[in-house]
Amino acid sequence: MVKATLCHKIETKMTTTTFDPAMAAGYSEITTKTSILKRSLSWCEAQQKDRLLWLGISLSAHGCIITPLTVMAVLLAGTNMYLFIIAIVSMGASLVTNLAALPTKITIPVFILSTLVDIAIIFSCVFIGLDIAKTYI
């Protein structure tokens, strides 16, 4: 009988020492979600090994495709000097960040932002052109 009471005492002690209040019935694990901005910046940092590729894409895309199209759209829409200056500054921002050999976590977002600025300029030139065309019709 002594063993039964001894085991009972040990079992009682074990339940009090192994009780974890964090694992109570109402426990739920909190999961954190990373924001899109944080995920995109971490992706840009991971592209550091391909920095030369991004330099080539940025310079060739802006210098040969995007900026000439933007300048042509500005000239066809009536040569708005403000839009022309914004287009050139947009290309300059991408050019300066790449020639300064900044990390890809800076150069890729600047390239994307400057491309979006050029696309916005092209859309505004289309709407300006449509407005000018309405006056002549």
Side-chain angles (χ1 to χ4, degrees):
M1 293 285 185
V2 174
K3 286 185 179 180
T5 58
L6 179 65
C7 290
H8 179 65
K9 288 181 180 178
I10 291 175
E11 184 179 321
T12 306
K13 287 181 183 177
M14 288 301 293
T15 58
T16 58
T17 57
T18 60
F19 177 71
D20 189 9
M23 297 300 290
Y27 176 75
S28 64
E29 185 176 335
I30 298 173
T31 58
T32 59
K33 294 183 180 179
T34 57
S35 67
I36 294 173
L37 179 66
K38 190 171 273 194
R39 282 187 289 172
S40 63
L41 286 178
S42 66
W43 177 80
C44 289
E45 287 178 9
Q47 294 296 315
Q48 186 64 32
K49 63 183 177 348
D50 297 327
R51 192 181 71 76
L52 191 60
L53 173 70
W54 282 104
L55 172 86
I57 289 171
S58 161
L59 293 180
S60 64
H62 265 294
C64 299
I65 301 167
I66 299 170
T67 303
L69 286 175
T70 306
V71 169
M72 184 180 67
V74 169
L75 292 175
L76 290 175
T79 316
N80 188 341
M81 192 58 136
Y82 296 115
L83 294 178
F84 184 77
I85 290 172
I86 292 171
I88 298 303
V89 167
S90 170
M91 182 193 174
S94 181
L95 180 72
V96 166
T97 57
N98 280 306
L99 292 180
L102 292 176
T104 55
K105 71 177 183 178
I106 296 172
T107 57
I108 294 174
V110 167
F111 170 65
I112 292 171
L113 180 67
S114 62
T115 303
L116 291 175
V117 167
D118 283 339
I119 290 171
I121 290 172
I122 291 171
F123 279 131
S124 67
C125 289
V126 167
F127 292 129
I128 290 171
L130 290 176
D131 190 40
I132 292 172
K134 285 181 184 177
T135 59
Y136 289 119
I137 294 179

